[in-house]
Every structure is written in structure tokens, then in C-alpha cells.
Amino acid sequence: MSKPRKPIVAANWKMFKTPSETADFFRTFLPVLGTLDGVDVVIAPPFPCLPAASEHAGKSIVRIAAQNMHPEASGAFTGEVSAIMLRELYVTYVIIGHSERRTLFGESDAFINRKVLTAHASNLRPILCIGETLEERDAGHIHDVLRRQLTAGLAGINAEQAIETVLAYEPVWAIGTGRTATAAQAQEAHAFIRSVLESLYDAATARRIRIQYGGSVKPNNAAELSAQADVDGFLVGGASLESGSFYEIIRATVHSSLEG
Ligand code: 13P
């Protein structure tokens, strides 16, 4: 039995790659990717690389994401970028509330929620990131943290919009550390997230919302993680910077989703 949701694998390039390196990536990646079916593929390059990424993605199956945005449409917010600016560059998704934004740039749940609301109002699909730190996990607070981030992040979002929202469970202790959550840990957290979605909306809505896993995803662990019942693809950092390893993760996701 395959899952009732199409998997979505997204590359979060963080602050890596210039516009010309972005173009080089697409030139090697697209011919390898071909017209792979049964998966949504998304790439989130740094802001200055968005025009090159959109131009190269063209009519391919790849959709482009931004890594962040400001909730206001315009204004005196030096250094910020708005949803309408992104829309003009053919951006489809936007990563919101990544743990690096939360911890390094002090983003609160309330500010993150404003971005989620703006994204939907602007026809951008948010990829809302949530996840606990190691201290929170060790203290037994994982469920409280996930429930708080979800409830606050999705405040004011109706069921229809929730279905168009992608969630990314990224345990902070697994990001860039080489320490992946085990398949069982990921499944437990994803099932809990889906139960919270069920209480916020209803069972039918919760069943349709895609929940990605993120944190040291590599070609050699993607298949096992992706075979879990509530894992609907990945948000990939380091391993998405090289077209070969990113493609291997996508391929493993498609295969295990078909078999799962
Ligand atoms: P890594 O895959 O490098 O651990 O990064 C995960 C991540 O933060 C994706 O958003």
C-alpha cells in the first residue's frame, strides 16, 4: 500500500553556491533527474541565485523555493525580501521557521506565523520547519515543543491552506551533525505531528498534509527513513549541494514510497 501523499524532496542550500554555481548544478542535475514521476522536487538556493534557478528549472519538474521572507509586502525593512518579490521570480515554495532562523536570528513562533499567513495570502506554499533541541528532547519536552511550534505556526490557517502547507520535522541535534534520527525516532515524531494536526483540523485533513524529515539525510539513510508510514520526503542540507547525492536521495524516496 503506497501512502496517500506524494513525497516532496527539497534541497536547502543555506548560504552555499553563487549564481554561476547554481547554473552549473542545474546543467548536471536536470539531465540526470529527467522526468521522474511520483515525487515533487524543490530547490531552495540563496536569494541572489533565484533568477538563475528559475530560468534553469523552466519546464522541468523542479520547483523553486526561497529560504526565508518577511511577512510585510514592502517597507523600511533593510535587508529583507517580500513574498511579491519572490513571486515575480517564479518562486513556488518558501521555507519558514528553519531552526537556524529561530536560533541565530531570534525568530519567534508569532513572527513565523505571520510569514505562514503571508505566504498563503501570496500564493506561496510554506515549508514550515519545526523540531526540538537536544536539551528539550533529553528533558522529555519533545511533544510540548512540537505541539507549541505547530499550534502557533499554523494559527489562523484553515484546513484547505494546511493541506497546501508542507511541514518539515528537523530535530535540531540532527542538523549538520551527521547524527540522523533513527527511522523509529523519525516515525514517532511524525506520527505525533500528525496527531496534533488531527486535533487542530480533522483526520482527513491531517492525512493529506505532507511531513518531511530533515537532519543529516544522505543517500544511504533515505530509503529506510522514507519507508516510514508518516515520512513524506525530505528537507536536505549538505547532501543536496552535489547533484549526484541529491538525485540518489530523490530516487530512494520514490522507490521506498512505492514499496512502502
Ligand atoms: P543537513 O542535511 O546538512 O543536516 O541540514 C538539514 C537542514 O537543515 C535542512 O533544512
Side-chain angles (χ1 to χ4, degrees):
M1 256 285 288
S2 60
K3 295 175 200 170
R5 300 166 296 275
K6 190 177 186 187
I8 172 165
V9 181
N12 175 9
W13 283 356
K14 309 192 179 186
M15 200 170 73
F16 293 99
K17 293 196 194 290
T18 65
S20 64
E21 289 166 347
T22 299
D24 288 345
F25 179 96
F26 275 89
R27 275 192 279 267
T28 44
F29 180 64
L30 290 181
V32 175
L33 182 66
T35 52
L36 202 61
D37 241 4
V39 62
D40 288 337
V41 177
V42 177
I43 295 181
F47 288 135
C49 306
L50 287 171
S54 291
E55 189 185 318
H56 279 84
K59 289 191 170 43
S60 78
I61 66 163
V62 177
R63 293 290 168 268
I64 302 304
Q67 296 176 16
N68 182 33
M69 64 168 209
H70 194 276
E72 297 295 327
S74 60
F77 301 106
T78 301
E80 292 294 317
V81 166
S82 76
I84 52 166
M85 297 171 188
L86 298 174
R87 289 286 302 151
E88 222 176 283
L89 293 175
Y90 305 101
V91 169
T92 311
Y93 292 87
V94 57
I95 299 172
I96 294 178
H98 190 280
S99 69
E100 287 149 19
R101 301 292 322 168
R102 292 176 188 262
T103 54
L104 301 175
F105 301 96
E107 292 194 7
S108 67
D109 284 323
F111 190 53
I112 287 164
N113 175 242
R114 285 177 58 202
K115 299 187 190 198
V116 174
L117 291 165
T118 297
H120 281 297
S122 316
N123 265 327
L124 284 171
R125 295 179 180 202
I127 300 178
L128 172 61
C129 302
I130 57 174
E132 82 287 358
T133 63
L134 192 57
E135 295 71 40
E136 290 164 339
R137 174 173 277 262
D138 287 346
H141 294 153
I142 170 171
H143 288 180
D144 293 341
V145 171
L146 295 179
R147 189 185 295 108
R148 188 201 75 224
Q149 291 176 339
L150 271 174
T151 307
L154 293 173
I157 294 297
N158 64 33
E160 219 170 285
Q161 292 168 324
I163 291 166
E164 295 296 317
T165 303
V166 177
L167 294 172
Y169 170 62
E170 299 206 308
V172 178
W173 45 272
I175 296 177
T177 59
R179 199 183 143 187
T180 325
T182 63
Q185 284 173 323
Q187 171 55 27
E188 196 279 330
H190 283 227
F192 175 75
I193 291 166
R194 208 173 298 286
S195 76
V196 175
L197 293 172
E198 197 172 321
S199 67
L200 291 176
Y201 301 100
D202 54 70
T205 302
R207 254 173 73 81
R208 293 182 60 190
I209 300 174
R210 298 185 289 184
I211 309 172
Q212 297 175 312
Y213 169 80
S216 297
V217 176
K218 309 287 173 209
N220 65 5
N221 58 26
E224 192 192 0
L225 285 161
S226 163
Q228 304 305 306
D230 289 290
V231 175
D232 306 311
F234 301 109
L235 186 53
V236 188
S240 73
L241 294 170
E242 199 269 308
S243 58
S245 55
F246 187 47
Y247 174 71
E248 286 307 318
I249 291 169
I250 296 165
R251 210 170 60 110
T253 305
V254 175
H255 277 222
S256 53
S257 300
L258 289 175
E259 287 160 11

